[in-house]
Amino acid sequence: IVQITRRPFGFSFGTIKGRAYLVESSKDLKEWGQLESYDGTGKLIRVEELRDVIFPQIYYRVRAEM
């Protein structure tokens, strides 16, 4: 499940309890920087981007750690 809002930009993602997740961002899909890490709870986790946006477009991804 993914839910998106625009101002402030945010999204939610579903998690599996006991699993770790990394939220990353990129301006060019080549270099990624970590924004936040989360422990899975089995519920939705809400992420909000509170930084000032300096690039015309920013990409996000969520990586599940094994």
Side-chain angles (χ1 to χ4, degrees):
I1 297 174
V2 174
Q3 299 171 342
I4 298 172
T5 58
R6 295 199 183 267
R7 291 187 187 220
F9 175 78
F11 62 94
S12 299
F13 63 95
T15 65
I16 297 171
K17 189 174 183 174
R19 205 156 197 194
Y21 297 87
L22 297 177
V23 176
E24 300 175 324
S25 68
S26 173
K27 63 179 177 157
D28 58 11
L29 296 173
K30 294 177 185 175
E31 294 182 33
W32 292 88
Q34 182 176 331
L35 288 178
E36 202 65 54
S37 62
Y38 297 92
D39 292 325
T41 61
K43 299 179 181 179
L44 286 178
I45 291 180
R46 176 84 181 147
V47 177
E48 288 191 355
E49 176 62 271
L50 301 176
R51 300 178 299 174
D52 289 334
V53 177
I54 57 173
F55 303 108
Q57 199 156 5
I58 297 178
Y59 303 93
Y60 298 89
R61 70 180 179 189
V62 177
R63 292 182 31 201
E65 298 286 290
M66 296 293 183

